[in-house]
Amino acid sequence: MNLSPVTPDSIAITIVYSILILWGAWIGVHQIYQGFCRPQELLNPLFGNRQAIKIFTFHIIVVSLDLFVCGPVSLHYKSRLWYWGGRIALILSSFSLASYFNRNPQSFGHFIGYWVRFRNFFEISLHVLVSALAVNWFYYYGLLYWLVAYRYLDVGPRRAMQKLYNTPEKKAARPWAPILNWVVIFTIYIAAAWAVYHQKIIYAAPPDPAQPVHIASFWEYLLVGGIDVGVALIAWGMIRKYTGPGPAEALIPANAEH
């Protein structure tokens, strides 16, 4: 495993970065627990639906595997196949959340809601741009530990700040709170980009330039392709179950086998 330089500032930044990651991951796990066991406590009421919280759980599993397993391993071995295979799986598992469960404007205010939407378009575009460029493993490292990691990095502070205006009375008394929340999470976004660019997270580092690029075998292409197709089928199947069979169900004979 490659490491970034160990300095007093990198130690401090690594500790803060790790706390934010673990804080965000814990909130995701806790939200899953609330969805299954205490739906009345959910910030996003849509996840009170049993099928919706299953979709969210599947998404969290895919995100975590890409961030903590597939991404770092593919960087270490310089495997473009596994790197992009994990990222494609993440994007496939994200579509349903963006389409059906995005409640950022309702939960955090329109300012943050618009920011999240802009950020999603920006991050997808940046991934497309990097994938189209010649191989530069520093870019791959940056995408993983900045953009993918940010899915956890801002969650804890964003939820904590939201408590300043989580009722109509609090929001009326503190109309500035949503803007302050956005300033905090935007600062984290920029600070994380700076820390990753300057390699200030000790356990996150670009691969060694001397490390040979991994040449994927045919069975690896089959495996990665099969995993991504499987993720897509599971995600689409969950969405179909959540949204219902649709109007075409009326065209299916009642005695037809399913």
Side-chain angles (χ1 to χ4, degrees):
M1 178 179 178
N2 297 318
L3 299 175
S4 291
V6 179
T7 60
D9 60 334
S10 71
I11 292 174
I13 291 171
T14 299
I15 291 173
V16 173
Y17 182 91
S18 300
I19 289 173
L20 291 176
I21 288 281
L22 293 175
W23 191 4
W26 162 248
I27 288 178
V29 172
H30 185 61
Q31 184 167 322
I32 291 171
Y33 166 74
Q34 288 177 316
F36 283 107
C37 302
R38 297 183 177 180
Q40 71 280 2
E41 298 180 0
L42 286 165
L43 179 61
N44 187 340
L46 295 180
F47 288 123
N49 177 276
R50 195 74 170 182
Q51 188 60 26
I53 196 61
K54 289 180 180 179
I55 294 172
F56 179 76
T57 302
F58 179 66
H59 170 70
I60 288 294
I61 291 172
V62 174
V63 170
S64 300
L65 287 175
D66 183 42
L67 177 59
F68 299 126
V69 181
C70 187
V73 171
S74 62
L75 276 180
H76 178 74
Y77 290 103
K78 287 188 175 179
S79 173
R80 293 184 70 194
L81 173 66
W82 285 96
Y83 184 91
W84 290 115
R87 204 55 42 79
I88 290 170
L90 186 155
I91 292 172
L92 289 171
S93 72
S94 302
F95 285 150
S96 54
L97 297 179
S99 300
Y100 295 101
F101 309 121
N102 191 335
R103 299 273 291 185
N104 286 293
Q106 295 90 332
S107 301
F108 298 100
H110 288 286
F111 200 39
I112 291 179
Y114 291 136
W115 155 250
V116 170
R117 292 172 183 173
F118 166 78
R119 198 194 79 210
N120 287 338
F121 283 118
F122 167 72
E123 292 177 356
I124 291 174
S125 300
L126 196 57
H127 272 87
V128 172
L129 176 63
V130 171
S131 68
L133 296 174
V135 175
N136 186 323
W137 289 97
F138 186 85
Y139 296 158
Y140 288 8
Y141 145 82
L143 290 179
L144 178 67
Y145 289 108
W146 175 35
L147 298 188
V148 179
Y150 190 75
R151 290 173 176 267
Y152 284 147
L153 285 171
D154 81 324
V155 175
R158 175 159 47 94
R159 290 295 186 98
M161 296 294 296
Q162 194 267 348
K163 292 179 181 178
L164 293 173
Y165 57 99
N166 59 357
T167 66
E169 295 77 18
K170 290 181 180 179
K171 191 171 183 179
R174 303 177 182 130
W176 44 264
I179 298 176
L180 177 62
N181 195 351
W182 178 83
V183 170
V184 170
I185 63 175
F186 181 72
T187 300
I188 294 173
Y189 198 68
I190 300 303
W194 178 89
V196 170
Y197 181 81
H198 292 284
Q199 300 182 46
K200 295 296 183 179
I201 296 96
I202 295 172
Y203 54 79
D208 186 348
Q211 169 77 20
V213 175
H214 175 70
I215 305 301
S217 303
F218 180 68
W219 68 266
E220 291 181 78
Y221 282 98
L222 291 178
L223 180 58
V224 172
I227 291 173
D228 283 342
V229 170
V231 168
L233 290 175
I234 291 172
W236 293 337
M238 285 180 162
I239 284 297
R240 182 185 182 279
K241 188 173 291 187
Y242 176 75
T243 57
E249 184 184 29
L251 302 177
I252 302 176
N255 60 347
E257 295 184 1
H258 295 280

